Amino acid sequence: MIWLIVKYALTAGIVVLVSEVAKRSDRLGGLVAALPMVTVLVLIWMKIEGQTQEKIASHAWYTFWYVVPTLPMFLCFPLMFQRWGFWAALLASCVMTVVIFWGYALVLRRFGINLL
């Protein structure tokens, strides 16, 4: 139980760190947010908890493929935010990401990479 609390605390601490850094510096906040800290923590947790090498490698492999279709959101959100406000831009960005992901997954399936 203590291990689970430590995992929650460290992972939540990363999110708080990013939001606090972003309040002080847009650039540094963006850099810290772009670092794959959560993924690195997950890989560490998986190793410590005795997951197989194949399972850990598979997690890293799929993480890469799932990140790619989220990238357009970071380009479109600022433009939509200026025009539509925060909530509408956030919703539109999320919908756009789902649509892009779905199309991306269909294309990758042709190359033997199954994301769905």
PDB file of all heavy atoms in Angstrom, residues 69-70 72-81 84-101:
ATOM      1  N   PRO A  69      -0.044  11.387 -33.118  1.00  0.00           N
ATOM      2  CA  PRO A  69      -1.273  12.069 -33.546  1.00  0.00           C
ATOM      3  C   PRO A  69      -1.757  13.157 -32.585  1.00  0.00           C
ATOM      4  O   PRO A  69      -2.673  13.904 -32.923  1.00  0.00           O
ATOM      5  CB  PRO A  69      -2.305  10.938 -33.652  1.00  0.00           C
ATOM      6  CG  PRO A  69      -1.798   9.871 -32.770  1.00  0.00           C
ATOM      7  CD  PRO A  69      -0.302   9.979 -32.795  1.00  0.00           C
ATOM      8  N   THR A  70      -1.132  13.291 -31.431  1.00  0.00           N
ATOM      9  CA  THR A  70      -1.524  14.370 -30.508  1.00  0.00           C
ATOM     10  C   THR A  70      -0.805  15.680 -30.819  1.00  0.00           C
ATOM     11  O   THR A  70      -1.238  16.738 -30.371  1.00  0.00           O
ATOM     12  CB  THR A  70      -1.241  13.996 -29.041  1.00  0.00           C
ATOM     13  OG1 THR A  70       0.174  13.925 -28.826  1.00  0.00           O
ATOM     14  CG2 THR A  70      -1.899  12.686 -28.659  1.00  0.00           C
ATOM     15  N   PRO A  72      -0.528  17.685 -33.531  1.00  0.00           N
ATOM     16  CA  PRO A  72      -1.235  18.807 -34.169  1.00  0.00           C
ATOM     17  C   PRO A  72      -2.066  19.641 -33.189  1.00  0.00           C
ATOM     18  O   PRO A  72      -2.256  20.839 -33.398  1.00  0.00           O
ATOM     19  CB  PRO A  72      -2.134  18.121 -35.208  1.00  0.00           C
ATOM     20  CG  PRO A  72      -1.431  16.855 -35.517  1.00  0.00           C
ATOM     21  CD  PRO A  72      -0.794  16.425 -34.224  1.00  0.00           C
ATOM     22  N   MET A  73      -2.529  19.033 -32.118  1.00  0.00           N
ATOM     23  CA  MET A  73      -3.312  19.769 -31.132  1.00  0.00           C
ATOM     24  C   MET A  73      -2.528  20.969 -30.581  1.00  0.00           C
ATOM     25  O   MET A  73      -3.082  22.042 -30.376  1.00  0.00           O
ATOM     26  CB  MET A  73      -3.712  18.855 -29.977  1.00  0.00           C
ATOM     27  CG  MET A  73      -4.520  19.552 -28.904  1.00  0.00           C
ATOM     28  SD  MET A  73      -4.694  18.515 -27.455  1.00  0.00           S
ATOM     29  CE  MET A  73      -3.884  19.546 -26.261  1.00  0.00           C
ATOM     30  N   PHE A  74      -1.236  20.773 -30.371  1.00  0.00           N
ATOM     31  CA  PHE A  74      -0.427  21.835 -29.779  1.00  0.00           C
ATOM     32  C   PHE A  74      -0.197  22.995 -30.742  1.00  0.00           C
ATOM     33  O   PHE A  74       0.118  24.098 -30.307  1.00  0.00           O
ATOM     34  CB  PHE A  74       0.896  21.272 -29.261  1.00  0.00           C
ATOM     35  CG  PHE A  74       0.689  20.257 -28.177  1.00  0.00           C
ATOM     36  CD1 PHE A  74       0.852  18.912 -28.429  1.00  0.00           C
ATOM     37  CD2 PHE A  74       0.287  20.644 -26.919  1.00  0.00           C
ATOM     38  CE1 PHE A  74       0.644  17.974 -27.430  1.00  0.00           C
ATOM     39  CE2 PHE A  74       0.073  19.717 -25.914  1.00  0.00           C
ATOM     40  CZ  PHE A  74       0.244  18.383 -26.178  1.00  0.00           C
ATOM     41  N   LEU A  75      -0.351  22.740 -32.029  1.00  0.00           N
ATOM     42  CA  LEU A  75      -0.271  23.817 -33.012  1.00  0.00           C
ATOM     43  C   LEU A  75      -1.610  24.529 -33.168  1.00  0.00           C
ATOM     44  O   LEU A  75      -1.662  25.746 -33.319  1.00  0.00           O
ATOM     45  CB  LEU A  75       0.181  23.270 -34.371  1.00  0.00           C
ATOM     46  CG  LEU A  75       1.602  22.740 -34.444  1.00  0.00           C
ATOM     47  CD1 LEU A  75       1.855  22.109 -35.800  1.00  0.00           C
ATOM     48  CD2 LEU A  75       2.598  23.850 -34.167  1.00  0.00           C
ATOM     49  N   CYS A  76      -2.693  23.767 -33.148  1.00  0.00           N
ATOM     50  CA  CYS A  76      -4.027  24.333 -33.404  1.00  0.00           C
ATOM     51  C   CYS A  76      -4.648  24.995 -32.185  1.00  0.00           C
ATOM     52  O   CYS A  76      -5.385  25.980 -32.323  1.00  0.00           O
ATOM     53  CB  CYS A  76      -4.949  23.248 -33.938  1.00  0.00           C
ATOM     54  SG  CYS A  76      -4.432  22.643 -35.550  1.00  0.00           S
ATOM     55  N   PHE A  77      -4.388  24.470 -30.997  1.00  0.00           N
ATOM     56  CA  PHE A  77      -5.017  25.015 -29.796  1.00  0.00           C
ATOM     57  C   PHE A  77      -4.780  26.520 -29.624  1.00  0.00           C
ATOM     58  O   PHE A  77      -5.739  27.265 -29.384  1.00  0.00           O
ATOM     59  CB  PHE A  77      -4.578  24.258 -28.535  1.00  0.00           C
ATOM     60  CG  PHE A  77      -5.139  24.848 -27.282  1.00  0.00           C
ATOM     61  CD1 PHE A  77      -6.447  24.602 -26.909  1.00  0.00           C
ATOM     62  CD2 PHE A  77      -4.369  25.681 -26.479  1.00  0.00           C
ATOM     63  CE1 PHE A  77      -6.986  25.163 -25.755  1.00  0.00           C
ATOM     64  CE2 PHE A  77      -4.885  26.249 -25.339  1.00  0.00           C
ATOM     65  CZ  PHE A  77      -6.199  25.988 -24.967  1.00  0.00           C
ATOM     66  N   PRO A  78      -3.556  27.022 -29.741  1.00  0.00           N
ATOM     67  CA  PRO A  78      -3.358  28.470 -29.551  1.00  0.00           C
ATOM     68  C   PRO A  78      -4.172  29.316 -30.530  1.00  0.00           C
ATOM     69  O   PRO A  78      -4.714  30.365 -30.149  1.00  0.00           O
ATOM     70  CB  PRO A  78      -1.857  28.675 -29.771  1.00  0.00           C
ATOM     71  CG  PRO A  78      -1.241  27.352 -29.518  1.00  0.00           C
ATOM     72  CD  PRO A  78      -2.267  26.340 -29.947  1.00  0.00           C
ATOM     73  N   LEU A  79      -4.277  28.869 -31.769  1.00  0.00           N
ATOM     74  CA  LEU A  79      -5.055  29.621 -32.759  1.00  0.00           C
ATOM     75  C   LEU A  79      -6.545  29.597 -32.427  1.00  0.00           C
ATOM     76  O   LEU A  79      -7.227  30.627 -32.490  1.00  0.00           O
ATOM     77  CB  LEU A  79      -4.823  29.036 -34.159  1.00  0.00           C
ATOM     78  CG  LEU A  79      -3.378  29.046 -34.643  1.00  0.00           C
ATOM     79  CD1 LEU A  79      -3.240  28.267 -35.940  1.00  0.00           C
ATOM     80  CD2 LEU A  79      -2.873  30.465 -34.802  1.00  0.00           C
ATOM     81  N   MET A  80      -7.045  28.439 -32.061  1.00  0.00           N
ATOM     82  CA  MET A  80      -8.467  28.325 -31.712  1.00  0.00           C
ATOM     83  C   MET A  80      -8.769  29.079 -30.412  1.00  0.00           C
ATOM     84  O   MET A  80      -9.836  29.674 -30.271  1.00  0.00           O
ATOM     85  CB  MET A  80      -8.862  26.855 -31.586  1.00  0.00           C
ATOM     86  CG  MET A  80      -8.856  26.132 -32.921  1.00  0.00           C
ATOM     87  SD  MET A  80      -9.475  24.432 -32.846  1.00  0.00           S
ATOM     88  CE  MET A  80      -8.146  23.582 -32.018  1.00  0.00           C
ATOM     89  N   PHE A  81      -7.834  29.051 -29.490  1.00  0.00           N
ATOM     90  CA  PHE A  81      -8.015  29.733 -28.200  1.00  0.00           C
ATOM     91  C   PHE A  81      -8.225  31.232 -28.419  1.00  0.00           C
ATOM     92  O   PHE A  81      -9.096  31.843 -27.799  1.00  0.00           O
ATOM     93  CB  PHE A  81      -6.799  29.459 -27.321  1.00  0.00           C
ATOM     94  CG  PHE A  81      -6.884  30.000 -25.920  1.00  0.00           C
ATOM     95  CD1 PHE A  81      -8.089  30.243 -25.293  1.00  0.00           C
ATOM     96  CD2 PHE A  81      -5.717  30.239 -25.206  1.00  0.00           C
ATOM     97  CE1 PHE A  81      -8.152  30.723 -23.990  1.00  0.00           C
ATOM     98  CE2 PHE A  81      -5.762  30.721 -23.910  1.00  0.00           C
ATOM     99  CZ  PHE A  81      -6.986  30.957 -23.301  1.00  0.00           C
ATOM    100  N   TRP A  84     -11.900  31.407 -30.183  1.00  0.00           N
ATOM    101  CA  TRP A  84     -13.092  30.819 -29.578  1.00  0.00           C
ATOM    102  C   TRP A  84     -13.105  30.820 -28.059  1.00  0.00           C
ATOM    103  O   TRP A  84     -14.111  30.468 -27.456  1.00  0.00           O
ATOM    104  CB  TRP A  84     -13.264  29.378 -30.032  1.00  0.00           C
ATOM    105  CG  TRP A  84     -13.320  29.193 -31.514  1.00  0.00           C
ATOM    106  CD1 TRP A  84     -13.647  30.132 -32.456  1.00  0.00           C
ATOM    107  CD2 TRP A  84     -13.050  27.998 -32.225  1.00  0.00           C
ATOM    108  NE1 TRP A  84     -13.594  29.580 -33.706  1.00  0.00           N
ATOM    109  CE2 TRP A  84     -13.229  28.264 -33.599  1.00  0.00           C
ATOM    110  CE3 TRP A  84     -12.673  26.712 -31.843  1.00  0.00           C
ATOM    111  CZ2 TRP A  84     -13.046  27.311 -34.574  1.00  0.00           C
ATOM    112  CZ3 TRP A  84     -12.502  25.756 -32.824  1.00  0.00           C
ATOM    113  CH2 TRP A  84     -12.684  26.061 -34.167  1.00  0.00           C
ATOM    114  N   GLY A  85     -11.983  31.132 -27.423  1.00  0.00           N
ATOM    115  CA  GLY A  85     -11.907  31.029 -25.967  1.00  0.00           C
ATOM    116  C   GLY A  85     -11.390  29.664 -25.549  1.00  0.00           C
ATOM    117  O   GLY A  85     -11.268  28.742 -26.358  1.00  0.00           O
ATOM    118  N   PHE A  86     -11.103  29.569 -24.263  1.00  0.00           N
ATOM    119  CA  PHE A  86     -10.429  28.381 -23.740  1.00  0.00           C
ATOM    120  C   PHE A  86     -11.238  27.092 -23.901  1.00  0.00           C
ATOM    121  O   PHE A  86     -10.757  26.120 -24.462  1.00  0.00           O
ATOM    122  CB  PHE A  86     -10.075  28.578 -22.264  1.00  0.00           C
ATOM    123  CG  PHE A  86      -9.410  27.380 -21.654  1.00  0.00           C
ATOM    124  CD1 PHE A  86      -8.067  27.146 -21.882  1.00  0.00           C
ATOM    125  CD2 PHE A  86     -10.133  26.475 -20.886  1.00  0.00           C
ATOM    126  CE1 PHE A  86      -7.449  26.024 -21.341  1.00  0.00           C
ATOM    127  CE2 PHE A  86      -9.521  25.356 -20.346  1.00  0.00           C
ATOM    128  CZ  PHE A  86      -8.170  25.129 -20.571  1.00  0.00           C
ATOM    129  N   TRP A  87     -12.453  27.063 -23.379  1.00  0.00           N
ATOM    130  CA  TRP A  87     -13.215  25.804 -23.327  1.00  0.00           C
ATOM    131  C   TRP A  87     -13.564  25.287 -24.715  1.00  0.00           C
ATOM    132  O   TRP A  87     -13.454  24.085 -24.982  1.00  0.00           O
ATOM    133  CB  TRP A  87     -14.452  25.950 -22.451  1.00  0.00           C
ATOM    134  CG  TRP A  87     -14.075  26.208 -21.028  1.00  0.00           C
ATOM    135  CD1 TRP A  87     -14.239  27.369 -20.330  1.00  0.00           C
ATOM    136  CD2 TRP A  87     -13.414  25.303 -20.134  1.00  0.00           C
ATOM    137  NE1 TRP A  87     -13.725  27.238 -19.063  1.00  0.00           N
ATOM    138  CE2 TRP A  87     -13.212  25.977 -18.916  1.00  0.00           C
ATOM    139  CE3 TRP A  87     -12.965  23.991 -20.242  1.00  0.00           C
ATOM    140  CZ2 TRP A  87     -12.604  25.393 -17.809  1.00  0.00           C
ATOM    141  CZ3 TRP A  87     -12.356  23.396 -19.142  1.00  0.00           C
ATOM    142  CH2 TRP A  87     -12.180  24.091 -17.951  1.00  0.00           C
ATOM    143  N   ALA A  88     -13.992  26.167 -25.595  1.00  0.00           N
ATOM    144  CA  ALA A  88     -14.325  25.734 -26.961  1.00  0.00           C
ATOM    145  C   ALA A  88     -13.072  25.240 -27.681  1.00  0.00           C
ATOM    146  O   ALA A  88     -13.109  24.227 -28.389  1.00  0.00           O
ATOM    147  CB  ALA A  88     -14.970  26.883 -27.741  1.00  0.00           C
ATOM    148  N   ALA A  89     -11.958  25.939 -27.490  1.00  0.00           N
ATOM    149  CA  ALA A  89     -10.705  25.523 -28.125  1.00  0.00           C
ATOM    150  C   ALA A  89     -10.235  24.186 -27.570  1.00  0.00           C
ATOM    151  O   ALA A  89      -9.757  23.326 -28.324  1.00  0.00           O
ATOM    152  CB  ALA A  89      -9.631  26.592 -27.921  1.00  0.00           C
ATOM    153  N   LEU A  90     -10.365  24.000 -26.269  1.00  0.00           N
ATOM    154  CA  LEU A  90      -9.957  22.741 -25.660  1.00  0.00           C
ATOM    155  C   LEU A  90     -10.819  21.592 -26.172  1.00  0.00           C
ATOM    156  O   LEU A  90     -10.303  20.529 -26.541  1.00  0.00           O
ATOM    157  CB  LEU A  90     -10.039  22.833 -24.134  1.00  0.00           C
ATOM    158  CG  LEU A  90      -9.496  21.635 -23.367  1.00  0.00           C
ATOM    159  CD1 LEU A  90      -8.015  21.430 -23.652  1.00  0.00           C
ATOM    160  CD2 LEU A  90      -9.727  21.834 -21.877  1.00  0.00           C
ATOM    161  N   LEU A  91     -12.122  21.794 -26.216  1.00  0.00           N
ATOM    162  CA  LEU A  91     -13.019  20.757 -26.722  1.00  0.00           C
ATOM    163  C   LEU A  91     -12.712  20.444 -28.193  1.00  0.00           C
ATOM    164  O   LEU A  91     -12.597  19.272 -28.578  1.00  0.00           O
ATOM    165  CB  LEU A  91     -14.479  21.186 -26.566  1.00  0.00           C
ATOM    166  CG  LEU A  91     -15.512  20.209 -27.118  1.00  0.00           C
ATOM    167  CD1 LEU A  91     -15.445  18.874 -26.379  1.00  0.00           C
ATOM    168  CD2 LEU A  91     -16.906  20.808 -27.009  1.00  0.00           C
ATOM    169  N   ALA A  92     -12.574  21.485 -29.002  1.00  0.00           N
ATOM    170  CA  ALA A  92     -12.268  21.286 -30.425  1.00  0.00           C
ATOM    171  C   ALA A  92     -10.925  20.565 -30.595  1.00  0.00           C
ATOM    172  O   ALA A  92     -10.795  19.680 -31.452  1.00  0.00           O
ATOM    173  CB  ALA A  92     -12.255  22.619 -31.160  1.00  0.00           C
ATOM    174  N   SER A  93      -9.952  20.907 -29.784  1.00  0.00           N
ATOM    175  CA  SER A  93      -8.642  20.255 -29.857  1.00  0.00           C
ATOM    176  C   SER A  93      -8.738  18.776 -29.509  1.00  0.00           C
ATOM    177  O   SER A  93      -8.103  17.934 -30.158  1.00  0.00           O
ATOM    178  CB  SER A  93      -7.656  20.935 -28.904  1.00  0.00           C
ATOM    179  OG  SER A  93      -7.386  22.243 -29.313  1.00  0.00           O
ATOM    180  N   CYS A  94      -9.529  18.465 -28.502  1.00  0.00           N
ATOM    181  CA  CYS A  94      -9.699  17.061 -28.108  1.00  0.00           C
ATOM    182  C   CYS A  94     -10.412  16.269 -29.203  1.00  0.00           C
ATOM    183  O   CYS A  94     -10.000  15.154 -29.538  1.00  0.00           O
ATOM    184  CB  CYS A  94     -10.456  16.967 -26.790  1.00  0.00           C
ATOM    185  SG  CYS A  94      -9.499  17.563 -25.381  1.00  0.00           S
ATOM    186  N   VAL A  95     -11.469  16.850 -29.763  1.00  0.00           N
ATOM    187  CA  VAL A  95     -12.200  16.180 -30.849  1.00  0.00           C
ATOM    188  C   VAL A  95     -11.277  15.995 -32.051  1.00  0.00           C
ATOM    189  O   VAL A  95     -11.226  14.907 -32.649  1.00  0.00           O
ATOM    190  CB  VAL A  95     -13.475  16.968 -31.225  1.00  0.00           C
ATOM    191  CG1 VAL A  95     -14.090  16.438 -32.510  1.00  0.00           C
ATOM    192  CG2 VAL A  95     -14.481  16.931 -30.077  1.00  0.00           C
ATOM    193  N   MET A  96     -10.533  17.041 -32.384  1.00  0.00           N
ATOM    194  CA  MET A  96      -9.604  16.968 -33.502  1.00  0.00           C
ATOM    195  C   MET A  96      -8.580  15.847 -33.270  1.00  0.00           C
ATOM    196  O   MET A  96      -8.272  15.077 -34.186  1.00  0.00           O
ATOM    197  CB  MET A  96      -8.880  18.306 -33.666  1.00  0.00           C
ATOM    198  CG  MET A  96      -7.845  18.335 -34.762  1.00  0.00           C
ATOM    199  SD  MET A  96      -6.872  19.846 -34.769  1.00  0.00           S
ATOM    200  CE  MET A  96      -5.819  19.563 -33.360  1.00  0.00           C
ATOM    201  N   THR A  97      -8.077  15.736 -32.060  1.00  0.00           N
ATOM    202  CA  THR A  97      -7.085  14.717 -31.743  1.00  0.00           C
ATOM    203  C   THR A  97      -7.671  13.320 -31.901  1.00  0.00           C
ATOM    204  O   THR A  97      -7.015  12.424 -32.443  1.00  0.00           O
ATOM    205  CB  THR A  97      -6.536  14.923 -30.316  1.00  0.00           C
ATOM    206  OG1 THR A  97      -5.916  16.210 -30.254  1.00  0.00           O
ATOM    207  CG2 THR A  97      -5.524  13.853 -29.951  1.00  0.00           C
ATOM    208  N   VAL A  98      -8.906  13.128 -31.465  1.00  0.00           N
ATOM    209  CA  VAL A  98      -9.555  11.819 -31.610  1.00  0.00           C
ATOM    210  C   VAL A  98      -9.722  11.470 -33.087  1.00  0.00           C
ATOM    211  O   VAL A  98      -9.423  10.346 -33.506  1.00  0.00           O
ATOM    212  CB  VAL A  98     -10.917  11.797 -30.871  1.00  0.00           C
ATOM    213  CG1 VAL A  98     -11.721  10.559 -31.240  1.00  0.00           C
ATOM    214  CG2 VAL A  98     -10.708  11.876 -29.361  1.00  0.00           C
ATOM    215  N   VAL A  99     -10.156  12.433 -33.884  1.00  0.00           N
ATOM    216  CA  VAL A  99     -10.349  12.190 -35.314  1.00  0.00           C
ATOM    217  C   VAL A  99      -9.008  11.879 -35.986  1.00  0.00           C
ATOM    218  O   VAL A  99      -8.899  10.932 -36.779  1.00  0.00           O
ATOM    219  CB  VAL A  99     -11.046  13.398 -35.986  1.00  0.00           C
ATOM    220  CG1 VAL A  99     -11.024  13.282 -37.505  1.00  0.00           C
ATOM    221  CG2 VAL A  99     -12.476  13.537 -35.463  1.00  0.00           C
ATOM    222  N   ILE A 100      -7.990  12.669 -35.674  1.00  0.00           N
ATOM    223  CA  ILE A 100      -6.659  12.430 -36.252  1.00  0.00           C
ATOM    224  C   ILE A 100      -6.142  11.063 -35.824  1.00  0.00           C
ATOM    225  O   ILE A 100      -5.603  10.304 -36.630  1.00  0.00           O
ATOM    226  CB  ILE A 100      -5.669  13.551 -35.860  1.00  0.00           C
ATOM    227  CG1 ILE A 100      -6.043  14.851 -36.565  1.00  0.00           C
ATOM    228  CG2 ILE A 100      -4.234  13.147 -36.184  1.00  0.00           C
ATOM    229  CD1 ILE A 100      -5.273  16.060 -36.076  1.00  0.00           C
ATOM    230  N   PHE A 101      -6.319  10.733 -34.543  1.00  0.00           N
ATOM    231  CA  PHE A 101      -5.848   9.443 -34.049  1.00  0.00           C
ATOM    232  C   PHE A 101      -6.531   8.295 -34.786  1.00  0.00           C
ATOM    233  O   PHE A 101      -5.883   7.331 -35.196  1.00  0.00           O
ATOM    234  CB  PHE A 101      -6.079   9.297 -32.548  1.00  0.00           C
ATOM    235  CG  PHE A 101      -5.720   7.930 -32.055  1.00  0.00           C
ATOM    236  CD1 PHE A 101      -4.405   7.589 -31.847  1.00  0.00           C
ATOM    237  CD2 PHE A 101      -6.698   6.974 -31.840  1.00  0.00           C
ATOM    238  CE1 PHE A 101      -4.061   6.311 -31.434  1.00  0.00           C
ATOM    239  CE2 PHE A 101      -6.375   5.705 -31.432  1.00  0.00           C
ATOM    240  CZ  PHE A 101      -5.054   5.369 -31.223  1.00  0.00           C
TER     241      PHE A 101
END
